[in-house]
Amino acid sequence: MKNGIFISFEGPDGSGKTTQIERLAAFLKEQGYECLITREPGGTAISEAVRGILLDPAYKEMDYMTEAMLYASARAQLVAEVIRPALSEGKAVISDRFVDSSVVYQGIARGLGIDEVYRLNGFAIQGLMPSLTIHLDLSAEEGIRRKKNQAELDRLEQEDISFHAQVTEGYRTLAKLSPDRIHTIDATLPVEVIEERIRALVQEEFGK
Ligand code: TYD
């Protein structure tokens, strides 16, 4: 049996993670992996319930610390209930967002601090990190343009352009801090070009 592999996708809202995750999963299946796709916040009954609280536009008063801890608790449940068991069964796990989202959105854009948010999440993930992280880089303007046709925006999507600009910059900063794990691809490239680059990175990392 193959060893499990853990890949995360990161990037601003609207950067096209979902499309690329589906394409990568199809590719990994062709390579003989059993594939599990999961999303954050969510992926378990408890984590989806926490997601409901986090993204509800009604909770305008949510303190940033509360927000960071709720994301971390949804993650703790996902790691324990889904990701660790799947990896130990040799599956390929692809996560739509992981710890880096908290570091960028809560640590950088909300200003709680990169180290502080990694430390808080250390408790939730107990040392589990993806071997490979695909960062789809997108400007705040393009992200907002892509979301314009969407009927309802969630609590975080309703933030102003300066928040989204900090998210974009935050990801670029983080990618520079972890160049061995986080690989950046321009999200405005054609879908097929991005797909090909991701495959190349996966083959390089996992010899597939
Ligand atoms: P996501 O499900 O990716 O939203 P969408 O499907 O609309 O792209 O993520 C929901 C929002 O939560 C998104 O705006 C990013 C934010 N987020 C954080 O702020 N911190 C986190 O740790 C995670 C996982 C997501």
Side-chain angles (χ1 to χ4, degrees):
M1 191 172 66
K2 290 170 186 287
N3 288 328
I5 59 174
F6 184 21
I7 301 167
S8 66
F9 276 70
E10 294 285 354
D13 299 282
S15 55
K17 297 188 298 311
T18 312
T19 306
Q20 293 299 335
I21 286 171
E22 282 164 9
R23 290 177 180 228
L24 177 60
F27 173 70
L28 287 172
K29 276 182 199 145
E30 282 167 26
Q31 306 292 319
Y33 279 104
E34 241 191 280
C35 229
L36 184 96
I37 299 175
T38 191
R39 71 164 182 178
E40 281 218 29
T44 73
I46 293 170
S47 312
E48 291 289 337
V50 175
R51 178 187 176 89
I53 301 171
L54 275 165
L55 301 185
D56 189 337
Y59 295 136
K60 300 252 179 283
E61 73 278 25
M62 191 182 292
D63 181 77
Y64 295 164
M65 198 69 87
T66 310
E67 183 179 284
M69 292 172 102
L70 284 174
Y71 278 112
S73 51
R75 180 166 300 127
Q77 187 64 29
L78 180 71
V79 166
E81 188 182 328
V82 175
I83 299 182
R84 275 196 200 280
L87 291 173
S88 65
E89 287 164 13
K91 291 184 182 153
V93 177
I94 310 176
S95 187
D96 187 343
R97 303 189 177 282
F98 199 61
V99 172
D100 300 317
S101 282
S102 281
V103 173
V104 168
Y105 282 78
Q106 283 67 53
I108 298 175
R110 296 295 200 206
L112 293 181
I114 295 178
D115 291 344
E116 285 76 3
V117 173
Y118 269 132
R119 217 176 307 131
L120 168 67
N121 276 276
F123 216 61
I125 62 174
Q126 301 286 313
L128 182 76
M129 281 297 277
S131 311
L132 174 67
T133 297
I134 308 292
H135 162 220
L136 298 177
D137 176 55
L138 192 72
S139 71
E141 292 78 10
E142 180 62 16
I144 282 165
R145 202 185 61 72
R146 290 183 179 193
K147 286 268 167 184
K148 246 197 345 241
N149 299 328
Q150 196 175 301
E152 283 173 33
L153 296 180
D154 68 39
R155 196 174 57 86
L156 277 93
E157 287 166 346
Q158 287 182 6
E159 287 290 341
D160 61 16
I161 186 150
S162 72
F163 178 82
H164 293 290
Q166 288 193 70
V167 168
T168 293
E169 282 311 315
Y171 273 121
R172 290 174 182 165
T173 302
L174 212 58
K176 286 199 195 98
L177 290 175
S178 304
D180 293 341
R181 176 176 60 87
I182 305 179
H183 296 267
T184 302
I185 301 174
D186 178 351
T188 63
L189 289 168
V191 172
E192 286 72 24
V193 174
I194 298 175
E195 180 182 6
E196 201 39 59
R197 291 206 183 162
I198 293 172
R199 285 185 183 192
L201 286 167
V202 168
Q203 279 174 319
E204 202 177 294
E205 178 68 32
F206 304 105
K208 278 272 86 242

